[in-house]
Amino acid sequence: MPNLLILGGTTEANALVKSVAEQGIPATYSYAGRVDSPRPQPVPTRVGGFGGAEGLARYIREHGISHIVDATHPFAAQMSSNAVEACITTATPLAALTRPAWVAQQGDDWQHVSDIEGAVDALSGPARRVFLAVGRMHLLDFAAQPQHHYLLRLVDEPETVPLPNRDILVSRGPFTVEDDRALMLRHGTQLVVSKNAGGTGARAKLDAARALGLPVLMIDRPVMPQRTELTNVAQVLDWLAHT
Ligand SMILES: NC(=O)c1ccc[n+]([C@@H]2O[C@H](COP(=O)([O-])OP(=O)(O)OC[C@H]3O[C@@H](n4cnc5c(N)ncnc54)[C@H](OP(=O)(O)O)[C@@H]3O)[C@@H](O)[C@H]2O)c1
């Protein structure tokens, strides 16, 4: 019987753990601990960092982990590279549950930047009303462009926000196109800043931006180390059964 560790924190990880639990596969779901009250899961959960690749390798040995599925967000590059390293060290099979990046379609007006720093640079210029949909981790970077009015949508009420002009909406996805369209209209949004997360959970804002003819500043994904990449839950279950 496998003993699976799922590195989670995403809609995709939630879908995987549901199927794993239904099949009775022993598993643990790992959260980084970034949000105040993580969703309950149908398998035991653990919360918090492992202590780098070494800490994860130790965890694997101490808990008899047989397989790891890295279902973290495509921008969680540190965790993903730690997982690759720890799995090499401990000879543990690793697969990533990934989602294809979003691709612009007809009617989209996207400007691509390669990282957060690129997005901050691209925001130099006159004040605009910006829907900054990048999560709370990088807000400080955007303090370098304080002239804009920012709309922030965050999972938890933040303690401090380093942006002088902002509206904060505390809400947890997934979101609908209709709601995001209404939100942007209500806030007079002129530009959307988004990470290229892929998947369905956060896609609505892009469809809403297209419908409203709004430009999007799209932050491309960080490069990930080489690893087995699977794109749906069925593939992961098959990999688990055969690896
Ligand atoms: N980055 C995003 O835009 C984004 C969006 C939505 C959800 N998330 C989720 O939020 C979490 C953190 O993302 P991040 O971008 O801050 O990651 P990151 O920069 O790659 O990770 C930083 C550190 O956080 C710990 N960590 C990250 N994910 C973990 C997990 N699932 N379980 C245990 N420890 C974890 C690890 O600490 P140690 O080195 O101590 O092990 C890791 O080295 C992930 O679960 C990710 O799926 C991220």
Side-chain angles (χ1 to χ4, degrees):
M1 206 51 162
N3 183 20
L4 175 64
L5 175 65
I6 299 171
L7 304 174
T10 58
T11 308
E12 288 69 20
N14 297 343
L16 172 65
V17 74
K18 187 166 174 285
S19 294
V20 162
E22 279 165 8
Q23 305 238 344
I25 299 168
T28 303
Y29 187 109
S30 177
Y31 279 116
R34 296 281 187 273
V35 303
D36 291 345
S37 51
R39 268 175 215 279
Q41 298 295 349
V43 302
T45 57
R46 63 162 303 285
V47 181
F50 297 95
E54 272 177 34
L56 179 56
R58 203 174 319 117
Y59 182 93
I60 291 169
R61 291 194 189 102
E62 285 174 1
H63 293 81
I65 299 298
S66 67
H67 296 71
I68 294 190
V69 175
D70 178 359
T72 56
H73 191 272
F75 280 72
Q78 185 63 54
M79 185 69 252
S80 291
S81 83
N82 291 353
V84 168
E85 197 180 322
C87 286
I88 290 172
T89 314
T90 58
T92 306
L94 167 74
L97 175 56
T98 62
R99 28 188 160 152
W102 292 317
V103 177
Q105 44 181 278
Q106 199 169 9
D108 280 328
D109 174 10
W110 292 6
Q111 178 189 348
H112 289 270
V113 288
S114 54
D115 50 22
I116 295 279
E117 207 184 351
V120 173
D121 288 347
L123 282 175
S124 62
R128 280 182 285 177
R129 296 187 68 86
V130 179
F131 182 9
L132 183 61
V134 297
R136 73 171 165 186
M137 301 296 294
H138 295 287
L139 295 182
L140 191 55
D141 298 271
F142 290 89
Q145 304 288 2
Q147 70 275 32
H148 302 297
H149 183 282
Y150 293 101
L151 168 61
L152 309 174
R153 181 161 60 191
L154 303 169
V155 176
D156 296 306
E157 191 71 55
E159 274 169 24
T160 53
V161 172
L163 304 168
N165 312 311
R166 82 282 170 149
D167 285 322
I168 297 171
L169 179 65
V170 176
S171 180
R172 191 186 284 229
F175 306 101
T176 68
V177 182
E178 295 70 35
D179 287 351
D180 275 2
R181 197 168 178 276
L183 177 74
M184 291 184 206
L185 278 175
R186 206 161 56 241
H187 285 266
T189 297
Q190 296 170 300
L191 173 72
V192 177
V193 181
S194 171
K195 291 176 176 172
N196 196 333
T200 54
R203 152 111 232 163
K205 59 182 176 286
L206 303 177
D207 296 332
R210 185 186 324 106
L212 294 170
L214 294 179
V216 173
L217 191 56
M218 183 60 78
I219 305 168
D220 290 334
R221 294 175 170 200
V223 177
M224 289 292 174
Q226 212 176 353
R227 57 199 181 158
T228 299
E229 297 208 345
L230 306 172
T231 53
N232 60 53
V233 170
Q235 284 177 1
V236 174
L237 295 179
D238 188 57
W239 171 82
L240 267 177
H242 294 102
T243 309

